[in-house]
Amino acid sequence: MTNIKKVSELAGVSTATVSRTLKSPEQVTEATRDKVMQAVKQAGYRPNWLASSVKSGKSNSIVVLVPNLTNPFFLRIIGGIEQAAQEKGYSVLLGDTQGDSKRENEYAGMVLSNRADGLIQLDHSFPFAPQDAELADNVPMVSVCERIEGERKYPVIELDNYAASRALAHHLVGYGHQKFAAIVGQISSQIYRERLAGIRSVLQEENLPLPDEMLVGGSYTIEAGIDGVRQLLKQPVRPTAIFCFNDDIAIGAIHEIKKHGLRVPQDISVVGFDNIKVSAFIDPPLTTVDQPAYDMGRRAFEVLSVLMRGESLTRIREILPFQLVERQSSGPAR
Amino acid sequence: MTNIKKVSELAGVSTATVSRTLKSPEQVTEATRDKVMQAVKQAGYRPNWLASSVKSGKSNSIVVLVPNLTNPFFLRIIGGIEQAAQEKGYSVLLGDTQGDSKRENEYAGMVLSNRADGLIQLDHSFPFAPQDAELADNVPMVSVCERIEGERKYPVIELDNYAASRALAHHLVGYGHQKFAAIVGQISSQIYRERLAGIRSVLQEENLPLPDEMLVGGSYTIEAGIDGVRQLLKQPVRPTAIFCFNDDIAIGAIHEIKKHGLRVPQDISVVGFDNIKVSAFIDPPLTTVDQPAYDMGRRAFEVLSVLMRGESLTRIREILPFQLVERQSSGPAR
DNA sequence: ATTTTAAATGTAATCGATTACAGTCTGACT
DNA sequence: AGTCAGACTGTAATCGATTACATTTAAAAT
């Protein structure tokens, strides 16, 4: 390893001068600067990042906790985080938790041991182990989409899930639908409650029912969509419109509906949530709510960045705009 | 920050003893161990990871360079890398390069400055800046899927793209197709050459043509699939079977073919490559080649791990098995 | 009881870079 | 010429943990 000492010897100066030449060149004469730079080049020297970091006490890294790496929606968020982080000289440590709290604990612990300076949580759980909770008190942490559970309020970048669900519900009610069903995501989450509440509020206003047996599902996967439709089609009354709590579910649902010889949207309308890329290209193209995932990621980093600087926030909840994207998977009720 | 010194004072021992208690408890009496552990708990102490790392000279991190984070295929690879890395106490620094060489250089530079111990490249370019090339000579580096360009041979985990393409070609030839087209991916890559060569070899054996005007595309995206089909359908002769160089392209292609009022596979058969999750659930489900992406990722880390230990490899090229997945997007030629 | 040996603990050097402080040098000003 | 300010550069402390080596302590052997 070529270290600063070797370079200083090569250039015939002290290590301090080498360090200054690289970090604040204006403090150094042109002559010595040249000497040093040449020695640096000759030795192929790169400052040891670990060493600088111990000194500064900052790792310039953040951890991102993802419940499921294969979800393209999360990917867009991560892309946004990554981009924003890069611009500010931060790097991103990826933690695929698979919803497993042990792994969450482990990754979250990185912030406690100075391996990272802050944390972005894409899931809704408080990621630290119970015994670390106190320590974690002044850890910069931000969540995206979901709100972190617990008494302590952490900043969150989210969508108005209630309003977005209302928009979807209005859209379907506008088509004259009366028999609704929903294939929901993870039940323990805030998102689940808000989206369901949004749908319910519209249906109540219109005096339309959403009976319990029309609520199925439990995870944000294609398989959940398939299973969900199977269950729904076993019921005596067939729904004419299905709310899917994300696009993956909707993709599974549409697939299964067609498999039963029914048509989308003529027999059953399907709407999703997220607007992942592929949703525009399936058959029929999916009506869904667009979330500005990339921007949410960017914004999450920016907010985290403020916290990491030790400043405080004016707003703890940031709500980004959604957009209803009407495509061909929804249509008039028969 | 609570550091080791504070803990040592609290426990009434030296810092050395604290360090030993945590790293090799068997070297310490039970009595002192208890004292120390209690002090650790009381102070809420966590060893500063940065400090340990400077000392050991190892960061226990690796960088993964991804050309495009939104490609679900890469995601599965990353999932595998991540899992394997976690098991060995490594963390993964994610570098979304967008194919931009400046960003590649920047991320690759992390290994040179001890921010990471090794590198996995999912793209085909040599990721270091030209001036760093010499330094990079003894950097542990592995590529997945693509082979890294340049004279120096780096280990690679890949598929037998030639054989897999031949399998696809045989599949379509077996259905009696005679008029072929291909929507290819990035032309500069090794993969492009191998897949094309595989297809060509089978067609030549069968005396079937693959004229230049039937080769379109140039990137691995849904849009490339759409554009590709548009171009192909402008030609005087319509192909009856299209090779798409990945599933995203195929999804775009199928979408566009249907838009023109043609049926898949009755009018045109379409085959993809990768077997991403959604491919099984589009309409019609896609015939494709399954790559064991997750295992490729795992294996890549394992190989990198060997290099990082300074050991040498017996095999520099590792070829994982593919599987032809026949679904309904391909069928008999009319 | 004394010597030998091993185990436990402490002291201080170390990793590589940064930076407060001290020292040196140049040139300007009187 | 002598003094002083200001610009450069060097010395050494520092970040927090680890560990070679030295020292102390306890147990075992004679």
Side-chain angles (χ1 to χ4, degrees):
Chain A
M1 203 58 214
T2 63
N3 51 20
I4 200 170
K5 193 140 168 252
K6 216 169 279 174
V7 175
S8 73
E9 284 162 8
L10 243 167
V13 298
S14 72
T15 62
T17 301
V18 175
S19 180
R20 278 190 284 253
T21 308
L22 295 170
K23 303 267 294 188
S24 37
E26 72 284 357
Q27 286 183 34
V28 160
T29 329
E30 202 178 326
T32 40
R33 200 158 54 207
D34 290 349
K35 261 193 306 187
V36 172
M37 290 314 279
Q38 197 190 328
V40 164
K41 199 181 289 180
Q42 191 186 328
Y45 172 68
R46 286 269 196 146
N48 184 318
W49 172 83
L50 287 167
S52 336
S53 295
V54 217
K55 196 77 217 299
S56 68
K58 295 273 153 228
S59 69
N60 284 297
S61 307
I62 63 166
V63 188
V64 178
L65 263 39
V66 205
N68 171 12
L69 252 186
T70 61
N71 186 328
F73 175 64
F74 288 137
L75 258 271
R76 253 166 59 221
I77 298 179
I78 294 174
I81 294 173
E82 227 270 328
Q83 177 72 38
Q86 235 249 339
E87 286 168 13
K88 299 229 173 161
Y90 276 80
S91 38
V92 173
L93 286 158
L94 195 62
D96 184 5
T97 65
Q98 306 282 0
D100 176 31
S101 64
K102 258 213 206 96
R103 302 197 79 191
E104 276 195 342
N105 296 170
E106 207 162 320
Y107 281 116
M110 288 179 164
V111 191
L112 301 176
S113 52
N114 281 41
R115 191 160 182 170
D117 302 334
L119 190 155
I120 297 181
Q121 164 70 305
L122 302 192
D123 208 340
H124 56 86
S125 47
F126 179 78
F128 292 93
Q131 69 267 23
D132 293 338
E134 217 175 319
L135 279 177
D137 236 23
N138 31 19
V139 164
M141 177 155 76
V142 173
S143 66
V144 185
C145 298
E146 294 271 11
R147 250 170 278 163
I148 292 171
E149 287 160 357
E151 292 159 29
R152 172 80 181 280
K153 293 278 171 278
Y154 287 95
V156 55
I157 314 296
E158 60 182 352
L159 212 70
D160 189 341
N161 280 290
Y162 184 83
S165 300
R166 283 184 57 92
L168 282 170
H170 270 133
H171 168 76
L172 290 172
V173 166
Y175 271 136
H177 289 279
Q178 304 201 322
K179 287 176 281 181
F180 292 94
I183 308 178
V184 306
Q186 213 182 353
I187 295 190
S188 54
S189 70
Q190 184 70 24
I191 280 192
Y192 161 76
R193 287 186 288 271
E194 288 182 5
R195 292 193 184 161
L196 192 56
I199 294 166
R200 280 231 157 91
S201 71
V202 170
L203 299 191
Q204 258 160 21
E205 286 164 22
E206 306 287 335
N207 269 322
L208 294 166
L210 183 61
D212 280 353
E213 65 272 20
M214 289 286 114
L215 281 182
V216 297
S219 77
Y220 291 108
T221 59
I222 293 181
E223 286 78 6
I226 293 175
D227 276 3
V229 166
R230 281 199 194 135
Q231 282 184 54
L232 292 174
L233 293 185
K234 276 188 204 141
Q235 305 293 330
V237 185
R238 186 205 294 161
T240 66
I242 303 179
F243 294 98
C244 296
F245 274 38
N246 83 350
D247 285 2
D248 269 346
I249 295 177
I251 289 170
I254 290 177
H255 180 80
E256 189 65 15
I257 291 171
K258 287 166 141 187
K259 216 169 173 181
H260 281 79
L262 298 168
R263 289 159 308 160
V264 179
Q266 292 87 340
D267 298 312
I268 305 180
S269 285
V270 175
V271 298
F273 215 109
D274 287 353
N275 193 25
I276 61 176
K277 179 114 186 243
V278 82
S279 297
F281 303 102
I282 59 169
D283 185 8
L286 187 65
T287 293
T288 188
V289 166
D290 181 73
Q291 302 205 49
Y294 186 86
D295 289 338
M296 292 170 99
R298 284 198 68 90
R299 197 66 203 123
F301 179 81
E302 284 160 14
V303 170
L304 186 66
S305 175
V306 171
L307 291 178
M308 290 191 298
R309 279 200 301 275
E311 299 166 19
S312 61
L313 292 164
T314 48
R315 240 178 329 163
I316 201 162
R317 221 180 131 198
E318 207 153 312
I319 296 172
L320 269 64
F322 66 87
Q323 204 166 354
L324 181 64
V325 181
E326 303 183 18
R327 300 207 186 95
Q328 288 78 56
S329 70
S330 55
R334 273 207 299 192
Chain B
M1 203 56 216
T2 64
N3 51 19
I4 200 169
K5 191 137 168 254
K6 217 168 279 173
V7 175
S8 73
E9 283 162 7
L10 243 168
V13 297
S14 72
T15 61
T17 303
V18 175
S19 180
R20 278 189 285 253
T21 309
L22 295 169
K23 302 267 294 187
S24 37
E26 73 284 357
Q27 286 182 34
V28 160
T29 328
E30 201 179 326
T32 41
R33 201 158 55 206
D34 290 350
K35 262 194 306 188
V36 172
M37 290 313 280
Q38 197 190 327
V40 164
K41 199 182 287 181
Q42 191 185 329
Y45 171 69
R46 286 268 197 147
N48 184 317
W49 172 82
L50 287 166
S52 335
S53 294
V54 216
K55 195 76 219 298
S56 68
K58 295 273 153 228
S59 68
N60 285 298
S61 307
I62 63 165
V63 188
V64 177
L65 264 38
V66 205
N68 171 13
L69 253 186
T70 60
N71 185 329
F73 174 64
F74 288 137
L75 258 272
R76 255 166 59 221
I77 298 178
I78 294 173
I81 294 173
E82 227 269 328
Q83 176 71 39
Q86 236 248 339
E87 285 167 13
K88 300 229 175 164
Y90 277 80
S91 38
V92 173
L93 287 158
L94 195 61
D96 184 5
T97 65
Q98 307 282 0
D100 177 31
S101 64
K102 260 216 204 91
R103 303 197 78 192
E104 277 195 340
N105 296 169
E106 207 161 320
Y107 280 115
M110 289 179 165
V111 190
L112 300 176
S113 52
N114 281 41
R115 190 161 183 169
D117 302 333
L119 191 154
I120 297 180
Q121 165 70 304
L122 302 192
D123 208 341
H124 56 85
S125 48
F126 179 78
F128 292 93
Q131 69 267 23
D132 293 338
E134 219 174 318
L135 280 177
D137 236 22
N138 32 19
V139 164
M141 178 156 75
V142 173
S143 66
V144 185
C145 297
E146 294 271 10
R147 250 170 277 163
I148 292 171
E149 288 160 357
E151 293 159 28
R152 172 80 180 280
K153 295 277 169 279
Y154 286 95
V156 54
I157 314 296
E158 60 182 351
L159 212 71
D160 189 341
N161 281 289
Y162 184 82
S165 300
R166 284 183 57 91
L168 282 169
H170 271 132
H171 169 76
L172 289 173
V173 166
Y175 270 137
H177 289 277
Q178 304 201 322
K179 285 176 282 180
F180 293 94
I183 308 177
V184 305
Q186 214 182 354
I187 294 191
S188 54
S189 69
Q190 183 71 23
I191 281 191
Y192 162 75
R193 285 186 289 269
E194 288 182 5
R195 291 191 186 163
L196 192 56
I199 294 167
R200 280 232 155 91
S201 71
V202 170
L203 299 191
Q204 258 161 21
E205 287 164 21
E206 307 285 336
N207 269 321
L208 293 166
L210 182 61
D212 280 353
E213 66 270 21
M214 288 287 114
L215 281 183
V216 298
S219 78
Y220 290 108
T221 59
I222 294 181
E223 287 78 6
I226 293 175
D227 277 3
V229 166
R230 279 198 196 135
Q231 282 184 54
L232 292 174
L233 294 185
K234 275 189 205 141
Q235 305 295 330
V237 184
R238 187 205 295 162
T240 66
I242 303 180
F243 294 98
C244 296
F245 273 38
N246 83 351
D247 285 1
D248 270 346
I249 295 177
I251 289 170
I254 290 176
H255 180 80
E256 188 66 15
I257 290 170
K258 287 165 140 187
K259 216 170 174 181
H260 281 80
L262 299 169
R263 290 159 307 160
V264 178
Q266 293 86 340
D267 296 311
I268 304 181
S269 284
V270 174
V271 299
F273 214 109
D274 286 353
N275 193 25
I276 63 176
K277 179 116 185 238
V278 83
S279 297
F281 303 101
I282 59 170
D283 187 6
L286 187 65
T287 293
T288 188
V289 165
D290 182 72
Q291 300 205 51
Y294 185 86
D295 290 337
M296 291 169 99
R298 285 198 67 90
R299 197 66 202 123
F301 179 81
E302 284 161 15
V303 170
L304 186 66
S305 175
V306 171
L307 292 177
M308 291 191 298
R309 279 200 301 275
E311 300 166 18
S312 62
L313 292 165
T314 47
R315 242 179 329 165
I316 201 163
R317 221 178 132 199
E318 208 153 310
I319 296 173
L320 268 65
F322 65 86
Q323 205 166 356
L324 181 64
V325 181
E326 302 183 19
R327 299 206 187 96
Q328 289 77 56
S329 71
S330 55
R334 274 206 299 192

